[in-house]
Amino acid sequence: MADAPDEPVYLITGSDRPKVETAVDRLRGHFAPEAVEIASALDLTGEEAVAFCNAGSLFGDARLVVVRDVDGRKESEGRRKGGWKAADVDAVSAYLSSPAPSTVLALVAEELKASSALWKACGKVGRILSYDVGKKDLHGWVADQFRQRGARAEPDAVAALLQLVGADLQALKVEVDKLATWAEGEPIGEREVEALVAPNADVPIYELTEAWSLHDAARALDVSEAIFERESRQRRDSAARLAGALGSHLGRLRSLKQLAAEGVKPKDVAERLKLHPFRAQKLYGQAEGFSEDELDDAMLRLAELDGALKGQSRLAPDLEVQRTLVDLTRPPGVAQPAAR
């Protein structure tokens, strides 16, 4: 086609999957449908991709070869599997030294590093399109998606959506579109998000720490059991993760308590602790709800839990975590049980 892109290769990568897919679609729009080949690196080797590029077109038009998953695909446990190895990259790199004049190769990744051999090979002769959204930018990204849809989402609605859906930007965009359509210009708050969005991510730890701050033992136990049931890992591994998360949360609360005593304002706390302002405000309020003695007691109780998970208890690890949650959520003034 006359207006086909003139770069021999495009590497399209990044965590912003909506932008990645838009870039792929725009690239495909420059080619006749019958001149587009789409494959996955999970099934296609580098040599086979090169063969596709060199095959030519029966119609005599420019061709586009799209290869997805060049850096593998993330599985349920979070690890990436599959994708091209060194031999595959070598084959593609050799091809790019003398690419087919009528073919454009588009390689699609998600977490490819700029230091990788494939990135460098593509950068020498083609174009890199990188669309990344850092974890610290997720809140702003979701808020911007709502604004683009003309929806009025409150900060706590954005935070709740992130907790329910996780960091999958494609899934987040789908939920934003759904919420914006439902709201029809009305404000969207945390309650609306929780009522309309099914949790796709693991049950968020913030629900557990929120129950802790409210001294709601029943809620803490319900949330912990949901986490144990929903996670693919074994319960003992989930117990260790929850214990670590509770310890990290306690550390933040103690830091916030100290900063508050020094007169540091919530907005300045966010910068010092590298937290999103909304998250810092929530944690600041939680810290104010605990006395120094309560935080000290919590530290001792979590130390006891750590010992129990390392073999000092005959009880199941998940039961030890839940016993700890009962102790942590005990209302102020109610005596803790004697150390076991």
Side-chain angles (χ1 to χ4, degrees):
M1 296 177 66
D3 60 345
D6 56 5
E7 301 286 358
V9 63
Y10 289 80
L11 174 60
I12 308 172
T13 183
S15 59
D16 193 338
R17 304 313 295 170
K19 282 189 177 180
V20 168
E21 293 305 319
T22 296
V24 173
D25 289 343
R26 286 177 177 172
L27 195 58
R28 291 179 60 184
H30 289 289
F31 298 83
E34 63 271 15
V36 178
E37 299 277 358
I38 301 177
S40 169
L42 302 180
D43 308 311
L44 193 75
T45 67
E47 288 187 355
E48 289 169 337
V50 169
F52 267 126
C53 293
N54 288 324
S57 171
L58 295 176
F59 303 96
D61 293 328
R63 299 173 63 245
L64 173 67
V65 176
V66 180
V67 183
R68 297 181 176 274
D69 308 312
V70 296
D71 61 339
R73 186 175 295 171
K74 187 177 290 185
E75 298 195 341
S76 58
E77 67 272 19
R79 297 178 181 177
R80 303 197 73 81
K81 292 188 177 181
W84 280 349
K85 308 302 181 185
D88 302 298
V89 174
D90 288 344
V92 172
S93 299
Y95 162 79
L96 291 177
S97 66
S98 182
S102 61
T103 300
V104 173
L105 175 62
L107 305 177
V108 185
E110 184 174 355
E111 297 179 355
L112 197 67
K113 296 181 179 179
S115 59
S116 67
L118 185 59
W119 183 299
K120 292 177 179 178
C122 294
K124 287 180 180 179
V125 298
R127 187 176 177 187
I128 309 293
L129 301 177
S130 180
Y131 305 104
D132 267 319
V133 178
K135 289 184 178 180
K136 293 181 180 179
D137 301 322
L138 279 173
H139 193 282
W141 185 90
V142 173
D144 187 58
Q145 294 298 308
F146 276 116
R147 283 192 292 270
Q148 290 181 26
R149 286 298 311 269
R152 294 185 290 159
E154 299 172 0
D156 57 354
V158 174
L161 184 60
L162 283 168
Q163 295 293 347
L164 288 169
V165 177
D168 185 334
L169 271 63
Q170 191 71 50
L172 285 166
K173 187 176 186 302
V174 169
E175 295 299 338
V176 166
D177 290 343
K178 182 175 73 176
L179 287 163
T181 301
W182 173 84
E184 296 184 335
E186 293 297 318
I188 301 171
E190 183 177 12
R191 290 184 178 180
E192 287 76 18
V193 171
E194 291 178 346
L196 295 170
V197 177
N200 295 327
D202 292 336
V203 177
I205 294 296
Y206 94 93
E207 290 194 21
L208 200 59
T209 56
E210 188 85 3
W212 178 6
S213 68
L214 296 173
H215 300 285
D216 189 340
R219 177 60 180 159
L221 292 175
D222 286 344
V223 171
S224 66
E225 185 58 32
I227 291 173
F228 285 127
E229 288 292 330
R230 191 173 297 178
E231 289 195 344
S232 59
R233 68 190 80 190
Q234 295 186 10
R235 291 174 78 95
R236 67 170 179 269
D237 296 327
S238 294
R241 186 177 80 88
L242 289 186
L246 291 171
S248 296
H249 183 69
L250 175 61
R252 289 196 185 95
L253 292 179
R254 291 173 67 88
S255 296
L256 284 162
K257 195 76 174 175
Q258 179 62 41
L259 291 172
E262 295 172 5
V264 180
K265 296 180 180 179
K267 64 178 182 179
D268 298 321
V269 165
E271 184 175 348
R272 287 202 190 187
L273 299 183
K274 308 300 182 184
L275 296 170
H276 188 277
F278 176 74
R279 179 66 175 154
Q281 182 73 46
K282 293 274 279 189
L283 289 174
Y284 199 92
Q286 289 183 10
E288 289 181 332
F290 289 100
S291 68
E292 291 286 356
D293 287 343
E294 286 180 287
L295 295 180
D296 288 343
D297 289 342
M299 183 174 66
L300 293 174
R301 186 62 185 89
L302 289 176
E304 184 182 344
L305 172 63
D306 182 65
L309 296 181
K310 291 178 178 177
Q312 296 176 13
S313 171
R314 295 182 179 180
L315 296 177
D318 53 338
L319 179 56
E320 282 291 355
V321 168
Q322 292 180 331
R323 294 179 70 181
T324 300
L325 288 171
V326 170
D327 291 342
L328 292 176
T329 54
R330 205 175 301 277
V334 176
Q336 298 283 352
R340 288 176 286 277

